[in-house]
């Protein structure tokens, strides 16, 4: 499988996606979900060659991002069906699912709703979907052009403020071995919330890459890749 950008029709919209790796690689397909405001290109870097040697890799632009359609509807209960349809159209029955930040929220909900489709789950710098106190400000669209639909940020901020309790409950339905990777005290996300998520997921654990901040796979790629290799290679999970 050569690298490229393709599109696929799912749920009445078009999703763009990038591919890396060998089409007939024996490893389980890897699906990478980017953070808010980014796209599948965000994953390009040292991690890709290491994974692509053994796994076909798929990195979609989630709806409202990049080259995918911007339909204006961005509820998390829409994004999870998008991912299911994406896997079905591409014939990906069981995957290793890796998400960063916003993408990790989508990944976690999907893994709880469709546990049979996820062999292993990695959540990088994932926000806990618990009510925020104080609530997050819902900001107006800036004047300058954006690389994603600003309405998506507004809707996600609203969902962060008053999340559906079902999303937190779904963590207990995840059956895949799950690795949460936190960026330590330099991250803006509460690391204790990620630790609570790791405790709630039946086969979950957490590792912390200190001083990595929110962009662990970008700012500390060696440490991120090392934790991922250990997690994927032999089934062992790094200790808390």
């Amino acid at each position: 499988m050569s690298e490229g950008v393709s599109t696929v029709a799912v749920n009445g919209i078009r999703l763009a996606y990038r591919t890396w790796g060998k089409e007939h690689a024996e490893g389980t397909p890897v699906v990478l979900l980017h953070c808010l405001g980014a796209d599948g290109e965000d994953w390009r870097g040292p991690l890709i060659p290491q994974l692509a040697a053994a796994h076909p890799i798929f990195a979609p632009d989630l709806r409202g991002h990049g080259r995918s359609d911007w339909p204006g509807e961005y509820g998390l209960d829409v994004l999870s069906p998008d991912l299911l349809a994406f896997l079905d159209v591409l014939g990906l029955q069981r995957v290793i699912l890796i998400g960063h930040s916003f993408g990790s929220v989508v990944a976690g909900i999907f893994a709880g709703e469709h546990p049979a489709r996820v062999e292993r789950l990695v959540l990088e710098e994932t926000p806990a979907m618990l009510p925020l106190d104080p609530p997050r400000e819902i900001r107006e669209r800036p004047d300058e052009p954006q690389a994603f639909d600003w309405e998506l940020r507004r809707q996600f901020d609203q969902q962060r403020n008053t999340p559906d309790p079902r999303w937190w409950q779904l963590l207990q339905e995840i059956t895949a071995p799950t690795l949460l990777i936190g960026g330590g005290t330099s991250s803006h996300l509460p690391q204790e919330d990620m630790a609570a998520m790791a405790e709630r997921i039946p086969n979950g654990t957490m590792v912390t890459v200190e001083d990595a901040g929110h962009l662990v796979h970008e700012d500390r790629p060696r440490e991120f890749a090392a934790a991922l290799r250990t997690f994927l290679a032999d089934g062992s999970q790094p200790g808390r």
Side-chain angles (χ1 to χ4, degrees):
M1 180 183 299
S2 59
E3 177 190 345
V5 179
S6 304
T7 60
V8 64
V10 301
N11 297 336
I13 64 170
R14 291 179 305 109
L15 291 185
Y17 66 98
R18 290 156 184 78
T19 58
W20 292 276
K22 300 177 181 178
E23 186 174 2
H24 300 294
E26 294 183 0
T28 302
V30 175
V31 175
L32 304 170
L33 303 183
H34 59 79
C35 66
L36 186 72
D39 58 28
E41 188 70 17
D42 178 67
W43 291 100
R44 186 187 299 275
L47 181 66
I48 294 299
Q50 297 184 46
L51 287 175
H55 303 268
I57 301 172
F58 302 83
D61 296 354
L62 298 171
R63 66 162 61 201
H65 292 87
R67 301 187 190 184
S68 292
D69 286 345
W70 299 12
E73 182 182 3
Y74 302 113
L76 291 169
D77 285 332
V78 174
L79 285 150
S80 180
D82 280 355
L83 180 55
L84 178 62
F86 178 79
L87 299 186
D88 286 347
V89 170
L90 295 180
L92 306 177
Q93 294 303 312
R94 191 166 169 85
V95 301
I96 296 167
L97 188 56
I98 302 175
H100 174 219
S101 194
F102 174 75
S104 72
V105 176
V106 178
I109 291 172
F110 179 85
E113 290 178 334
H114 307 283
R117 304 298 293 270
V118 182
E119 181 176 298
R120 288 185 176 271
L121 177 65
V122 179
L123 307 177
E124 174 194 358
E125 275 289 294
T126 186
M129 294 305 287
L130 295 169
L132 293 181
D133 185 17
R136 178 173 290 185
E137 178 186 0
I138 309 301
R139 291 176 285 177
E140 294 299 323
R141 184 186 304 271
D143 293 333
E144 60 272 14
Q146 302 292 311
F148 70 106
D149 189 346
W150 189 262
E151 180 59 24
L152 190 150
R153 176 182 288 277
R154 290 174 53 82
Q155 292 183 27
F156 184 57
D157 285 347
Q158 291 167 352
Q159 291 173 103
R160 287 292 314 277
N161 288 340
T162 56
D164 186 335
R166 185 179 71 90
W167 298 332
W168 182 254
Q169 296 165 3
L170 276 172
L171 296 175
Q172 295 180 308
E173 304 301 319
I174 296 172
T175 59
T178 301
L179 176 65
L180 289 86
I181 301 179
T185 54
S186 58
S187 169
H188 70 280
L189 292 181
Q191 301 294 289
E192 61 272 18
D193 286 354
M194 290 182 219
M197 292 177 65
E199 291 287 349
R200 191 169 182 82
I201 296 170
N203 198 6
T205 193
M206 178 177 174
V207 296
T208 300
V209 181
E210 284 296 346
D211 300 321
H214 191 55
L215 306 177
V216 185
H217 74 276
E218 292 184 13
D219 293 342
R220 299 289 289 276
R222 292 183 180 178
E223 291 89 340
F224 183 88
L228 194 58
R229 282 197 308 270
T230 299
F231 178 63
L232 298 180
D234 59 8
S236 65
Q237 298 190 48
R240 290 185 175 85

